[in-house]
Amino acid sequence: MSEPPAIVTQNLGRIYKIRGPKRKDDPKEVVALEGVNLSIPHGQVFGLLGPNGAGKTTLIKILTTLLLPTSGRAQVEGLDVATQPQEIRRRIAMVSGGETSGYGLLTVEENLWMFARFYGLDSKVARRRIDEMIRVVGLDEKRRTKISDLSTGLRQKMNFIRGFISDPDVVFLDEPTLGLDVAAARQVRDYVLSWMRDHPGRTLLLTTHYMAEADEMCDRLAIIDKGKLLALDTPANLKRRLRDERVYSLRVAPLGHRPVDKADMIEAVPGVRQATVVEQDGLTELSLILDEDDALSGVLDHLHRRGSTLLALEKRVPTLEDVFIDLVGRGLDVDTSQRADETAENGQK
């Protein structure tokens, strides 16, 4: 008999009831998940991508037994999330980026020791794992520092360590590098990949707003929006979806007057299928997917009429972000500082 997947969902759904709508025509419920089917085998790093409000957090809460599904079913390590939550919790761990974890009056070492004992670890094993992971993420000099005296990034490092101390079968990482600088984020990613290599039977589910992070780390990716699964494949296969598409990057300064209606937006130019606009350091970065190369002349005419100066133009190979935009219709809700960090990280490779 073959081993069941590490994670499986069947027509999983979740509806939130809205109490006391203000107006008669206000919705009385919100569909957070609808008909989600997943099968994640052991040994995979599985990525979950979606804009804010797509249903990612709801899905993770169900899989970690923090929330019951409204319909369908879900299993983790062959155990049902609705009827066997305690058994599941002994086998999993979860780390959320930006999460406040631990007690401020305790030191890094004391907090980790406390969590290790909560997990029931033997004293010698706990000490060995704490020492090893503190060194891996560069917290050795801060091991006797109180949590309340740590920066946000250092607290996040400690929180990350906590998720691996119990040596879980399945790890859920919800934006684990949120708030970390480029070097610290690299340390976290390197450790995750190293841990997966050293524990080939373990499984890791990752959500992230960094496309480069998802592309580098994940064996497979699911793109979700409005509670529905839009695509599921390897990063390479997802990018092949746009292999024959015309993808362009433009840099302009300035973009010109603000559009006052839809007809004045770049998306209204004939032949522009998808567009994202990011403003940074006084410049505007445009990422366009065109139906035909001939549509580019219309784009340049549009920018000229709006008083923009073209600084750079590049036709490029489609990225994972291009695939995401093509499916969802918009990019991830990432601020410019996150984009700058991701650009810097790409430049270091």
Side-chain angles (χ1 to χ4, degrees):
M1 185 175 178
S2 61
E3 184 181 32
I7 297 172
V8 60
T9 69
Q10 298 172 328
N11 295 317
L12 193 67
R14 173 69 195 193
I15 296 175
Y16 291 102
K17 301 290 185 181
I18 300 177
R19 297 180 180 178
K22 296 180 180 179
R23 296 188 300 269
K24 185 180 296 185
D25 57 345
D26 284 346
K28 295 181 174 57
E29 60 184 29
V30 173
V31 179
L33 290 176
E34 182 178 354
V36 174
N37 292 294
L38 291 175
S39 180
I40 306 173
H42 292 87
Q44 276 197 355
V45 178
F46 187 89
L48 195 61
L49 292 177
N52 290 335
K56 304 186 303 298
T57 299
T58 296
L59 178 56
I60 287 180
K61 283 185 176 180
I62 290 174
L63 294 176
T64 55
T65 74
L66 299 177
L67 189 68
L68 287 172
T70 306
S71 59
R73 55 187 306 223
Q75 292 181 319
V76 177
E77 290 293 315
L79 303 168
D80 190 276
V81 298
T83 61
Q84 300 169 290
Q86 294 301 328
E87 291 90 335
I88 290 176
R89 290 172 188 174
R90 295 189 185 99
R91 304 186 182 195
I92 66 173
M94 179 177 176
V95 176
S96 294
E99 176 186 25
T100 301
S101 181
Y103 293 89
L105 293 178
L106 299 181
T107 66
V108 169
E109 198 170 39
E110 289 167 343
N111 268 283
L112 293 173
W113 173 256
M114 178 186 66
F115 281 112
R117 300 302 288 168
F118 285 166
Y119 289 127
L121 293 184
D122 176 78
S123 296
K124 291 183 179 179
V125 173
R127 290 294 184 193
R128 175 173 53 79
R129 290 183 185 171
I130 290 171
D131 289 343
E132 174 191 347
M133 295 197 66
I134 280 180
R135 288 194 297 271
V136 165
V137 300
L139 277 179
D140 202 38
E141 295 182 357
K142 299 290 185 179
R143 64 165 62 218
R144 292 181 175 82
T145 301
K146 292 182 179 180
I147 298 300
S148 57
D149 295 331
L150 294 179
S151 66
T152 300
L154 293 179
R155 283 198 300 270
Q156 175 59 6
K157 283 187 176 183
M158 192 219 73
N159 187 39
F160 175 78
I161 292 174
R162 176 191 57 77
F164 286 85
I165 280 184
S166 63
D167 199 24
D169 295 325
V170 182
V171 182
F172 296 87
L173 298 182
D174 190 9
E175 299 188 40
T177 58
L178 183 68
L180 299 182
D181 59 31
V182 172
R186 166 54 60 188
Q187 285 179 313
V188 166
R189 287 196 289 273
D190 286 346
Y191 180 81
V192 169
L193 295 175
S194 174
W195 187 81
M196 289 295 292
R197 285 193 298 269
D198 294 340
H199 302 78
R202 308 302 166 83
T203 308
L204 191 143
L205 191 150
L206 168 75
T207 74
T208 178
H209 271 110
Y210 294 92
M211 290 293 180
E213 187 168 84
D215 203 352
E216 173 191 354
M217 296 182 64
C218 297
D219 300 301
R220 289 195 303 155
L221 285 168
I223 296 178
I224 186 172
D225 188 33
K226 298 177 181 178
K228 295 182 179 181
L229 196 64
L230 303 183
L232 194 162
D233 214 325
T234 66
N237 284 341
L238 286 172
K239 285 183 285 188
R240 289 192 187 100
R241 296 168 60 105
L242 295 180
R243 181 173 49 193
D244 298 326
E245 302 295 338
R246 290 80 179 170
V247 182
Y248 286 87
S249 291
L250 296 84
R251 182 179 300 166
V252 298
L255 187 56
H257 66 276
R258 296 282 183 178
V260 294
D261 54 42
K262 290 185 178 180
D264 199 28
M265 298 173 66
I266 193 73
E267 294 91 332
V269 176
V272 176
R273 196 170 83 204
Q274 294 289 355
T276 57
V277 181
V278 177
E279 296 185 11
Q280 183 177 344
D281 299 329
L283 302 177
T284 302
E285 303 280 349
L286 302 174
S287 183
L288 306 177
I289 301 176
L290 306 180
D291 291 331
E292 298 291 342
D293 287 322
D294 293 344
L296 185 60
S297 60
V299 170
L300 299 179
D301 289 342
H302 174 87
L303 295 174
H304 178 72
R305 289 196 305 271
R306 290 183 55 181
S308 302
T309 301
L310 181 65
L311 301 178
L313 170 64
E314 176 190 10
K315 185 176 182 180
R316 55 181 175 76
V317 175
T319 65
L320 193 58
E321 184 168 10
D322 295 322
V323 176
F324 183 91
I325 293 169
D326 188 54
L327 288 168
V328 177
R330 63 194 187 281
L332 284 169
D333 303 318
V334 183
D335 62 33
T336 55
S337 63
Q338 286 179 303
R339 289 185 180 276
D341 283 349
E342 185 165 316
T343 300
E345 174 66 13
N346 287 334
Q348 290 182 6
K349 294 180 182 179

